[in-house]
């Protein structure tokens, strides 16, 4: 196991370098004027352009720019914006809120989605099965911003004040993030329910399940130990990779619920053409994706004893 983890970590290095280089190139190498609008309606002074070009290494070739940037990132320095605001401090302020929001969304989609998928997978073609299929199709078809607007309208400040995060809230509680977390994870929850349902329905007639039943094992043990563990492998894959998607896709949800998180930080960075902010945040998201893929691979061996890493 130790050798496998080390090998996978080494494999992540070129993937991380390649991905972040592409991101850096897309943000900084696209032909445009990086100083447009930075000095109001007037063109920026030559002294300002020279100072900013030196600060962001605009005069260096793109690969050298990237190496200098990543050299600073490795030490924890994500640079400063054109206005001199530290990107690292912005991320440190916004990231914990988005992490809490993404974890709540992940828990909600896992608990509700897997439960609904197991119940319908074991009892197909019934009322509950049809109800879950229709409701999940509804959630998949409904845009997140519509779900968020409707739920905030009826459960927000005009309904349950507990769920009103508030525009000035920089550190919302877990209770305040339950409703936004549900909205953020609603679409993924529908996919988890359908994926679990299909996997349970496919595996419930497998040989190992029939053998367990023939041995006289209780139904609870057959479902919980044998059927569920094997059926959850594709679900765990989806949930693991979805964590990064939830953090990156929180822009709309955070906007609807006035949450000061990573989503808002990315949105403001794009709006204000602060490439250094966008690059820093997306680099963090790439790292989350890669680490979660490693965790998912390790969970395979826990769920399926036939899988062994050497």
């Amino acid at each position: 196991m130790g050798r496998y983890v080390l090998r996978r970590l080494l494999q992540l290095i070129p993937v991380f370098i390649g991905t972040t280089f592409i991101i850096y190139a897309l943000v900084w190498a696209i032909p445009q004027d990086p100083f447009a609008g930075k000095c109001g309606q007037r063109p920026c002074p030559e002294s300002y352009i020279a100072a900013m070009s030196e600060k962001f290494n605009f005069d260096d070739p793109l690969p050298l720019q990237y190496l200098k940037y990543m050299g600073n990132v490795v030490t924890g320095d994500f640079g400063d914006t054109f206005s001199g605001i530290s990107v690292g401090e912005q991320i440190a302020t916004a990231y914990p809120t988005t992490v809490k929001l993404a974890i709540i969304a992940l828990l909600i989609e896992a608990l509700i989605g897997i439960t609904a998928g197991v119940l319908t997978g074991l009892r197909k073609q019934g009322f509950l099965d049809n109800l879950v299929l229709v409701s999940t199709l509804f959630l998949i078809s409904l845009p997140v911003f519509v779900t968020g607007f409707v739920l905030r309208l009826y459960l927000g400040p005009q309904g349950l004040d507990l769920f009103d995060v508030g525009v000035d809230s920089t550190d919302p509680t877990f209770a305040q993030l339950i409703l936004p977390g549900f909205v953020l994870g609603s679409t993924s929850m529908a996919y988890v329910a359908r994926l679990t349902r299909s996997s349970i329905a496919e595996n419930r007639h497998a040989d190992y399940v029939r053998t367990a039943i023939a041995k006289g094992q209780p139904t609870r043990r057959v479902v919980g130990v044998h059927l569920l563990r094997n059926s959850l492998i594709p679900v765990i894959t989806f949930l693991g990779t979805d964590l990064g998607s939830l953090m990156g896709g929180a822009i709309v949800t955070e906007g609807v619920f006035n949450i000061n998180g990573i989503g808002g930080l990315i949105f403001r960075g794009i709006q204000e053409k602060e490439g250094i902010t966008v690059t820093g945040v997306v680099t963090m998201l790439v790292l989350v994706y890669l680490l979660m893929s490693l965790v998912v691979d390790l969970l395979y061996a826990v769920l399926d004893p036939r899988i062994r890493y050497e």
Side-chain angles (χ1 to χ4, degrees):
M1 177 69 78
R3 289 184 178 180
Y4 174 79
V5 174
L6 180 60
R7 186 168 67 250
R8 288 286 282 111
L9 288 174
L10 293 176
Q11 290 174 351
L12 294 183
I13 294 176
V15 176
F16 177 76
I17 294 175
T19 306
T20 52
F21 178 76
I22 292 174
I23 294 168
Y24 189 90
L26 290 174
V27 172
W28 295 105
I30 297 177
Q32 59 176 334
D33 182 9
F35 304 104
K38 298 299 180 183
C39 302
Q41 299 297 325
R42 297 175 298 177
C44 292
E46 291 296 330
S47 58
Y48 176 83
I49 294 177
M52 291 298 103
S53 298
E54 182 180 359
K55 177 180 178 180
F56 292 101
N57 305 306
F58 288 153
D59 296 329
D60 295 330
L62 182 64
L64 184 57
Q65 290 183 36
Y66 170 77
L67 290 176
K68 289 182 177 180
Y69 173 76
M70 290 308 300
N72 293 330
V73 168
V74 170
T75 63
D77 180 13
F78 287 87
D80 298 332
T81 64
F82 280 95
S83 56
I85 301 174
S86 171
V87 176
E89 292 180 2
Q90 288 183 311
I91 293 176
T93 301
Y95 219 75
T97 299
T98 302
V99 168
K100 286 194 294 185
L101 178 62
I103 291 176
I104 290 174
L106 191 71
L107 291 175
I108 289 175
E109 70 181 66
L111 293 175
I112 299 179
I114 292 175
T115 301
V118 170
L119 294 177
T120 55
L122 294 174
R123 300 179 179 86
K124 293 187 65 176
Q125 307 303 324
F127 170 77
L128 181 61
D129 184 37
N130 292 327
L131 177 63
V132 170
L133 287 177
V134 171
S135 60
T136 54
L137 182 61
F138 180 77
L139 288 175
I140 293 172
S141 305
L142 200 64
V144 173
F145 64 87
V146 175
T147 306
F149 175 77
V150 172
L151 292 181
R152 179 173 170 79
L153 180 64
Y154 289 100
L155 298 178
Q158 298 179 10
L160 300 177
D161 292 335
L162 174 66
F163 298 119
D164 184 29
V165 178
V167 69
D168 296 326
S169 178
T170 56
D171 188 22
T173 64
F174 277 98
Q176 289 176 311
L177 292 176
I178 290 177
L179 186 59
F182 177 84
V183 172
L184 180 60
S186 58
T187 302
S188 296
M189 179 179 64
Y191 283 118
V192 168
R194 285 174 166 261
L195 186 59
T196 305
R197 173 185 177 274
S198 300
S199 189
I200 289 288
E202 179 182 355
N203 291 327
R204 66 175 181 165
H205 298 301
D207 292 339
Y208 64 86
V209 175
R210 288 200 295 264
T211 302
I213 295 175
K215 290 181 178 180
Q217 295 188 7
T219 303
R220 184 186 301 270
R221 179 175 177 81
V222 173
V223 174
V225 176
H226 299 285
L227 179 58
L228 187 58
R229 286 179 61 180
N230 288 277
S231 300
L232 280 183
I233 290 180
V235 179
I236 291 297
T237 303
F238 178 84
L239 290 174
T241 55
D242 195 46
L243 180 60
S245 300
L246 291 174
M247 296 180 66
I251 297 178
V252 175
T253 304
E254 290 182 355
V256 171
F257 289 93
N258 300 322
I259 299 173
N260 296 316
I262 288 296
L265 189 59
I266 295 177
F267 181 74
R268 290 191 300 273
I270 295 173
Q271 243 185 353
E272 299 169 5
K273 297 182 179 180
E274 291 287 0
I276 193 71
T277 301
V278 177
T279 306
V281 174
V282 177
T283 297
M284 292 293 296
L285 293 179
V286 169
L287 189 59
V288 171
Y289 267 110
L290 295 178
L291 293 179
M292 286 307 302
S293 68
L294 175 60
V295 172
V296 167
D297 287 347
L298 297 179
L299 285 176
Y300 288 161
V302 177
L303 294 173
D304 191 344
R306 296 171 298 179
I307 299 176
R308 289 291 178 265
Y309 298 119
E310 297 178 356

